[in-house]
Every structure is written in structure tokens, then in C-alpha cells.
Amino acid sequence: MSPTRITGTGSAAPRNVVTNQDLEKIMDTNDEWITQRTGIKSRHIALPGEKFSDFAVPAARQAMALAGIDAADLDMIICGTLTPDTRMPSGGCCVQALLDADRAFAFDVCAACSGFVYGLSIADRELRFRPDQQILVVGGDVVSHHVDWRDRATAVLFGDGVGAAVLTGAGETGHRLLSVELGSNGKLGELLNIRGIGSAAPVTAKDYDPDDNYIRMQGREIFKHAIKNMVEISYRAMKNAGIEPEQITKIIPHQANLRIIEMLAKQFRVPMERVFVNIQSYGNTSAGTIPIALDEAARGGFLEPGDMVLLTVFGGGLTWGAAVIEWE
Ligand code: COA
């Protein structure tokens, strides 16, 4: 069976940067608290009018350029996002139209921060049946549109950005995706939610509360579940890839909290210099964290031929996932 390969990556984020010092001016917070508790120093925040496709399309174009394919070659577009431009058409269909990827079919995966890794899994399964396909997986969010700037407990954490990757089972070059594993627990969904907009709380309801448009999170609880589930799913991904934990040489973790990243590094006995961290300049970009980090790690030379790379992610739903890639 031909292995699934990642042949190109790309990423894009809004130009507008908001620092911790900027936040100090609009809410009761400070750089020291944010840095110590999260590792975040600044984040990219979309300006009014900026939307998901403004970043998804350039990220996709970069990934296709590296993969050496055109939009016309795409068979499928999967968008892991919570924040498509519109509910209908989907984020995937918007991206398809803007790219002129007329031969593809496109859809969204709603798995919050885990959306990109969920997309990798779907692409991997598809390629087992038809390896010759070219699949674009996009992951990212303009999550700032759901941030309540009065709520310091969440507002300091998030940023906007989108990443993308091209996957195929055709050809002999590209980084081999050895395994992808997913998990979720809907019973704990209340710990991290956006209550409004859905059919349970439609904007047309007389008693619609605009505050329901915002992300709410029980940070401490999420912290515990994030570590437990990312550790478990990562071991499962390594086992299914047929490798021992000691063989992992680099980790690209979800960028939600530097303390969580450090705990994961310790658990897998990988020194921090071999763990990719860009949380300081992005914050948590939701489904964007993994593909943006993967793209920066690839382009910046952090990933080297022979590396065994672990991706691990956790998000609302609750959802989580992990993947192992052999870098070529
Ligand atoms: N600035 C200053 N103080 C703040 C603050 C801010 N931005 N946000 C909260 N605080 C205060 C709280 O009010 C609280 O004050 P109190 O002790 O007087 O009540 C104190 O800081 C501690 O708050 P707490 O929420 O317990 O902090 P924490 O150490 O748990 O850190 C998070 C908060 C959100 C950074 C952390 O819980 C976290 O990262 N959780 C996981 C997030 C995650 O992984 N998400 C992934 C899914 S997207």
C-alpha cells in the first residue's frame, strides 16, 4: 500500500499584532501574568472585515506551490475550522471557489482546535482507497471574532491564523504520515464552548443573548484534560505507527499553553529544544496551531530528514488527536 505523504505546507495570519502591553490598556491584566501562565507575548488579530478565507487561501497556495501542484489538480478540500466565512457555503467551498479548484469537492470538519488533525485522518483514510488523489487539508480559525474582550480569562489566550498541507499517496517524495489517532468526549463539552449561533440558541430567538457568541472556558479543568488526553492519544499514535516513544525526535504540540507543552516534553523525554514552540507570537489559533507550527518548523529547518515527528492536539468538544510523521 502506498503511504500517505505530506508534500507541501503553508500558513498565513493577520498583519495586525496585539501585544500583552496592548491588552494591559484595555483590561485588568499584565504581561507578567500572561507570560508566566501561558508563554504568550503577542498574537495576530484580524481587523474588522478580515475573515477565514483571507488566510486560508494564501496558506493553501503556499502548500500547493511546495507540493508542485495546481488548484486544478486537487481532488478534495477539507477545512478544519470553527469560523468559516459563512455557515453556508462552508469554509471548504469558499476556499474551493477562490482557488478555482473546480475538480475537487470540499467540506468542513468542526472539531475546534483538533480540526486540522481530524482532517489529516480523513485524508489518510481516503488515500488508502485512492492513493492517486491530491488532498488539501486546511486548519485554522479567526477565533478572535468569538473572543469577549471583557473576559481576561480567555481574551489573552487566543489569536488568528490558518495553516494548510497537501497530502497524496502518489509519488515517491514527501514526508510519510505513519499514523493518525483521534478521540473525543462530548460529555465534557461544557468545559469549553460557544453556546450561541447553533439551533439551540438561534440569533433569531427573542431571548438571544449576544454574550453567547463568545468562547467560555473552565481553564483549570481543560488544563488537566488536555494533558491526560494528549499523552494517551500520542502513545496510541506511536504504537500504531510501530515506533517506540524513544524514537520520537521532534514534537509539534498544540500551542495553547507553554506549561502544557513543557509537561508533554517531560512526559515524552524530549528536550525543549526539540519541541516546536511559537505560542509566544501567535497565542492559541485553535485549528491553526498545528499546521502553522508544522509549516514554520518545515520552512525554518527545525524539521530535518530522518526526524520522527509527533503532532498532538486538544480542543473544544472535547476533541483530541495525534499523528506521527517520518520527515524526509
Ligand atoms: N490576567 C491577570 N489575572 C488573571 C487573568 C489575566 N488575563 N486571567 C485570570 N486571572 C486571575 C484569575 O482571576 C485568578 O485570580 P484569583 O486567584 O484572584 O481568583 C488567577 O488569575 C488564577 O486563575 P486561574 O484560571 O486559576 O489560572 P490558571 O493558572 O489555571 O491559568 C489558564 C489559566 C487559562 C492560562 C490555564 O488554565 C490554561 O491554559 N488552561 C488550558 C487552556 C487550554 O489548554 N486550552 C486548550 C483548548 S483550546
Side-chain angles (χ1 to χ4, degrees):
M1 201 168 64
S2 24
T4 296
R5 293 177 189 272
I6 296 177
T7 51
T9 57
S11 60
R15 285 217 182 129
N16 178 43
V17 170
V18 173
T19 63
N20 292 349
Q21 286 74 18
D22 294 329
L23 293 179
E24 283 176 4
K25 292 179 199 147
I26 59 165
M27 66 184 74
D28 180 16
T29 191
N30 55 78
D31 175 51
E32 193 189 349
W33 190 97
I34 303 171
T35 306
Q36 281 181 3
R37 303 274 178 145
T38 73
I40 301 166
K41 298 299 277 184
S42 63
R43 68 288 287 148
H44 298 258
I45 299 291
L47 294 171
E50 285 187 311
K51 55 197 182 305
F52 172 74
S53 64
D54 293 331
F55 312 107
V57 168
R61 288 211 167 104
Q62 289 169 24
M64 290 189 296
L66 213 57
I69 63 161
D70 296 322
D73 299 322
L74 289 175
D75 295 283
M76 190 185 301
I77 299 172
I78 307 171
C79 276
T81 186
L82 275 178
T83 53
D85 295 11
T86 52
R87 295 273 139 183
M88 188 169 71
S90 67
C93 285
C94 281
V95 169
Q96 176 190 17
L98 292 163
L99 290 176
D100 290 322
D102 299 341
R103 204 163 63 80
F105 67 93
F107 59 96
D108 289 359
V109 175
C110 193
C113 301
S114 309
F116 178 78
V117 176
Y118 269 57
L120 285 186
S121 174
I122 296 168
D124 187 34
R125 289 163 208 238
E126 269 294 322
L127 290 167
R128 277 184 225 168
F129 292 107
R130 273 200 35 217
D132 60 335
Q133 297 180 91
Q134 299 286 347
I135 303 183
L136 175 69
V137 181
V138 177
D141 280 294
V142 181
V143 74
S144 64
H145 293 330
H146 292 284
V147 164
D148 182 353
W149 296 104
R150 301 161 303 178
D151 176 15
R152 67 177 183 173
T154 54
V156 302
L157 305 175
F158 294 97
D160 300 325
V162 181
V166 172
L167 282 81
T168 185
E172 301 293 313
T173 53
H175 315 291
R176 285 182 59 179
L177 182 63
L178 301 185
S179 72
V180 195
E181 292 292 317
L182 306 177
S184 70
N185 183 350
K187 289 183 180 161
L188 295 175
E190 274 302 296
L191 296 178
L192 176 53
N193 66 61
I194 300 172
R195 280 178 204 268
I197 316 169
S199 56
V203 282
T204 47
K206 271 205 183 95
D207 58 352
Y208 184 77
D209 181 353
D211 279 1
D212 282 350
N213 186 39
Y214 298 126
I215 294 181
R216 303 292 178 206
M217 178 169 73
Q218 295 181 37
R220 290 215 162 177
E221 281 300 304
I222 288 289
F223 197 102
K224 286 186 276 182
H225 289 290
I227 292 172
K228 176 179 173 290
N229 290 301
M230 279 195 282
V231 166
E232 280 177 16
I233 201 82
S234 297
Y235 280 125
R236 224 166 80 194
M238 292 180 226
K239 190 167 178 235
N240 286 351
I243 64 158
E244 298 298 325
E246 303 79 62
Q247 289 175 261
I248 292 294
T249 57
K250 303 274 168 67
I251 302 180
I252 299 193
H254 183 39
Q255 311 281 318
N257 187 313
L258 185 58
R259 288 182 291 151
I260 294 179
I261 295 173
E262 287 169 346
M263 286 180 188
L264 290 172
K266 207 169 160 196
Q267 174 73 32
F268 298 120
R269 296 172 199 238
V270 173
M272 276 305 285
E273 57 272 20
R274 292 204 267 118
V275 179
F276 192 82
V277 178
N278 63 5
I279 191 172
Q280 64 282 0
S281 46
Y282 282 96
N284 181 348
T285 55
S286 182
T289 65
I290 296 284
I292 294 172
L294 184 64
D295 182 50
E296 291 194 341
R299 285 174 197 269
F302 176 85
L303 296 177
E304 296 164 311
D307 269 337
M308 199 60 87
V309 188
L310 172 70
L311 313 183
T312 184
V313 75
F314 183 84
L318 302 177
T319 57
W320 53 90
V324 176
I325 303 169
E326 190 178 8
W327 209 254
E328 294 212 342

